[in-house]
Amino acid sequence: MRATWKGAISFGLVTIPVQLYTATEEHDIPLRQVHEKDGSRVRLRRVCEAEDVEIPYQEITKGYEAPDGSMIMLSDEDLADLPLPSKKLIDVLAFVDAETIDPLMFSKAYYVGTSDRAAAKPYALLKQALTEAGQIAVTKIAIRSRESLAVLRVHEDTLVLQTCLWPDEVRPAVGVAPEEDVTIRPQELQMARSLMDMLSQDFDLSTLHDDYQEALQQVIEARLQGVELPHEEEAAPTGGKVIDLMAALENSVRAAKESRGERGAAEEMEAEVRTLPVRKTAKKAPAKKAASARKATGSTAKKAAASQKEAGGKKTTAATKSTAKATAKKTAAKKTTKPKRASA
């Protein structure tokens, strides 16, 4: 990896000699501009308007067109000698929380490496301090004769310099979002959160790839081999205006579950989504059942009491009859005994 910039990080009295390496690359398939008639290359030539002749690159310089149409010439030496405090220096201005800088401002990323062995310890010190504080360093740097706002942050145990747009280079978002007042129902919000959870399960960013570049490569290979071009089936139209947001959310969650191979996704959705508040009439049914149960229990208790009373009555009558029989026998015995006493 070849360094694209050399300089130093400066914060306070600490200076860290570093160099920058481009952290990203794009994998575009290069397509040339050609003449449709015969397929020959189309070349762009640098032609001087005054002389109407092509001029070499070495004779080209930069210029600024004034409002009156006059041209102010600026040589490479003029641009190189601009008084930039951040020239060859990453000047740390402040340390702030990572959420302070909106990602909308991020531009190009560079890996930051040390340029000599003496820079290893201050490099590690700055990296550890940023990690423990959960902060980033706001800096300024001049790259290719242009000063940029930038931040220093930690990425996979390495310092990264991320150039940023200046605050006045970010357009305001006024008038972009819909201005109509809308009411979001709790059920809709719950379904949206369910869909978010489903789409977040087992997500792996490294598995994503550029489908367009792959399709373009297949077309090129087919042209080289002289075979039929690959055709992909067009997706079914999803319709235009969304009429029922809740139904769209339900179908989205159901489709996400089915795409993951979950069985019974539709039935589970019905259980999750179609659970409605219990109506008032539905609440009375358990009360009636309870009352019926209590009534049945009371009737059973009354029957049991009656049975006990009847059984008790029978026992009392039987006992009375037995007592009467015993008394009658005793009386008869007394009557029989009295005459015997008289004869004696």
Side-chain angles (χ1 to χ4, degrees):
M1 192 180 298
R2 188 172 64 89
T4 59
W5 184 93
K6 291 184 179 181
I9 299 175
S10 173
F11 66 104
L13 299 177
V14 179
T15 301
I16 310 173
V18 295
Q19 46 194 3
L20 302 182
Y21 304 88
T22 303
T24 60
E25 61 181 357
E26 297 182 356
H27 299 287
D28 293 338
I29 298 177
L31 299 178
R32 308 296 186 185
Q33 290 184 336
V34 298
H35 189 194
E36 184 180 5
K37 183 179 179 180
D38 52 21
S40 58
R41 287 280 304 273
V42 175
R43 302 285 183 176
L44 299 179
R45 302 182 184 276
R46 300 177 177 87
V47 178
C48 175
E49 291 182 353
E51 301 176 4
D52 196 23
V53 295
E54 184 179 357
I55 58 176
Y57 182 78
Q58 293 77 8
E59 296 182 9
I60 298 175
T61 186
K62 295 180 175 62
Y64 173 78
E65 186 175 1
D68 59 359
S70 61
M71 193 69 64
I72 301 174
M73 307 290 289
L74 296 173
S75 65
D76 292 339
E77 290 75 13
D78 294 332
L79 300 177
D81 293 337
L82 288 176
L84 288 176
S86 58
K87 185 177 180 181
K88 297 296 180 182
L89 187 68
I90 302 175
D91 187 19
V92 176
L93 307 176
F95 295 92
V96 299
D97 293 336
E99 296 80 11
T100 305
I101 307 296
D102 194 306
L104 184 66
M105 300 179 63
F106 288 160
S107 182
K108 192 172 180 59
Y110 298 88
Y111 291 132
V112 181
T114 57
S115 57
D116 58 48
R117 299 180 59 183
K121 186 170 183 178
Y123 181 98
L125 175 63
L126 177 59
K127 182 182 63 177
Q128 185 172 346
L130 291 174
T131 302
E132 293 185 359
Q135 293 183 320
I136 58 178
V138 180
T139 71
K140 288 199 302 183
I141 182 175
I143 301 178
R144 297 186 181 91
S145 302
R146 186 179 187 274
E147 188 175 52
S148 299
L149 184 68
V151 297
L152 277 172
R153 59 188 182 90
V154 180
H155 171 73
E156 295 183 355
D157 202 37
T158 303
L159 286 177
V160 171
L161 180 88
Q162 190 103 35
T163 59
C164 303
L165 301 172
W166 296 98
D168 58 357
E169 291 179 325
V170 178
R171 295 179 178 178
V174 178
V176 177
E179 298 180 356
E180 294 81 3
D181 293 333
V182 296
T183 302
I184 304 298
R185 296 183 297 167
Q187 299 91 332
E188 295 171 341
L189 183 59
Q190 180 181 0
M191 283 305 305
R193 294 295 300 272
S194 298
L195 179 58
M196 292 168 60
D197 293 339
M198 285 299 304
L199 296 178
S200 301
Q201 291 179 5
D202 303 325
F203 175 72
D204 185 3
L205 185 63
S206 63
T207 61
L208 300 182
H209 56 276
D210 191 342
D211 294 329
Y212 175 82
Q213 295 295 325
E214 289 186 358
L216 179 58
Q217 186 65 45
Q218 291 177 3
V219 171
I220 294 175
E221 293 294 335
R223 288 293 191 190
L224 289 174
Q225 299 174 10
V227 298
E228 184 180 357
L229 298 180
H231 296 283
E232 184 176 355
E233 296 183 0
E234 295 184 0
T238 56
K241 186 177 180 181
V242 177
I243 304 300
D244 190 342
L245 179 60
M246 192 66 181
L249 290 171
E250 292 176 11
N251 294 333
S252 299
V253 174
R254 184 181 294 107
K257 288 186 176 182
E258 292 177 352
S259 67
R260 297 176 184 277
E262 297 185 12
R263 298 289 184 181
E267 291 78 1
E268 185 178 347
M269 278 298 306
E270 292 294 331
E272 292 180 357
V273 178
R274 297 301 182 187
T275 303
L276 300 176
V278 181
R279 297 180 179 178
K280 293 182 180 180
T281 55
K283 290 182 178 179
K284 292 181 180 180
K288 289 182 179 180
K289 290 182 180 180
S292 301
R294 288 196 298 269
K295 187 174 180 180
T297 304
S299 301
T300 305
K302 288 180 180 180
K303 289 181 181 179
S307 300
Q308 291 177 0
K309 185 176 181 180
E310 184 179 357
K314 289 180 180 180
K315 289 180 180 181
T316 304
T317 304
T320 304
K321 289 181 179 181
S322 300
T323 305
K325 288 180 180 181
T327 305
K329 288 180 180 180
K330 289 180 181 181
T331 304
K334 287 181 181 180
K335 288 181 179 181
T336 306
T337 308
K338 284 180 180 180
K340 288 181 181 181
R341 289 177 180 176
S343 61

